[in-house]
Amino acid sequence: MWVLKHLLANKLTMEYIRDLIRDVPDFPKKGIIFKDITPVLSDIKALRMSVKEMASPFMNLDIDVVVGIESRGFIFGVPIADILGASFVPVRKPGKLPSKTERITYDLEYGTDSLEIHQDSIKKNQSVLIVDDLLATGGTAEATCKLVSKLEGKIIGFAILIELSFLKGRKRLKQYNVHSLVKY
Ligand code: AMP
């Protein structure tokens, strides 16, 4: 009975959050349906539930560091780090982090992109949870994995609000526990 109640509550939570996510067609360019999370942020109940549910599978896993991916990964990453009692580390676009960085360049559909992390932000063998708002092709998440691995952090998993399952980003993160709340 308790399990059933818990499952139902969970389903209702996900539906509440899903209903708030807004589709914006042709943003930032034609053909893309942008998943706008700002209505979730505007609703404190939804924001609290999102953060709690994203953190939930990692509660007893002794996470040392939460890595948030610029920029919407910061919004969710900081409160998740607070819940888990972990530190927060930002992964940023090039040229934004002021101290010594590691950089990774990865392929996009057209061209390349880069991400950076502070060299001293993760110690060898620290347990890391990576957080972002959305998983699409998985390129950004995979690049972040490589940055964390360069610093010899131990990746425990991913906490993601939205997964575009049809883009199969999860395939690139096979060896990790990928936890997403709302799937399309
Ligand atoms: P990807 O590397 O393809 O998995 O893309 C993930 C990153 O791009 C995330 O940081 C997202 O914030 C952003 N992103 C990709 N597609 C969308 C979309 N349809 N709506 C909103 N954000 C997106």
Side-chain angles (χ1 to χ4, degrees), residues 33-35 72 132-134 136-140 164:
I33 299 175
F34 191 85
K35 297 290 182 196
R72 290 179 296 272
D132 205 358
D133 68 324
L134 185 143
T137 65
T140 312
L164 304 183

Side-chain angles (χ1 to χ4, degrees), residues 10-91:
N10 211 356
K11 193 165 179 285
L12 289 176
T13 301
M14 299 314 157
E15 273 165 20
Y16 185 80
I17 296 167
R18 180 190 283 268
D19 285 348
L20 285 168
I21 296 167
R22 175 165 59 189
D23 280 0
V24 182
D26 299 324
F27 184 87
K29 52 184 180 190
K30 211 164 173 47
I32 306 271
I33 299 175
F34 191 85
K35 297 290 182 196
D36 179 17
I37 57 149
T38 59
V40 177
L41 306 180
S42 295
D43 182 323
I44 188 60
K45 198 167 130 205
L47 180 57
R48 281 198 182 124
M49 288 191 305
S50 303
V51 166
K52 186 170 157 251
E53 291 302 324
M54 285 167 83
S56 141
F58 305 100
M59 287 299 278
N60 297 312
L61 298 183
D62 292 327
I63 302 293
D64 299 306
V65 180
V66 170
V67 167
I69 305 175
E70 184 165 353
S71 59
R72 290 179 296 272
F74 299 171
I75 298 170
F76 296 97
V78 170
I80 289 173
D82 181 24
I83 289 175
L84 298 178
S87 61
F88 177 79
V89 169
V91 158

Side-chain angles (χ1 to χ4, degrees), residues 104-123:
I104 183 102
T105 299
Y106 59 103
D107 289 330
L108 299 172
E109 199 179 343
Y110 304 105
T112 61
D113 219 338
S114 298
L115 287 172
E116 290 183 348
I117 195 166
H118 269 149
Q119 276 175 1
D120 61 358
S121 58
I122 299 172
K123 294 184 188 71

Side-chain angles (χ1 to χ4, degrees), residues 133-146:
D133 68 324
L134 185 143
L135 179 69
T137 65
T140 312
E142 190 181 40
T144 304
C145 280
K146 287 183 182 158

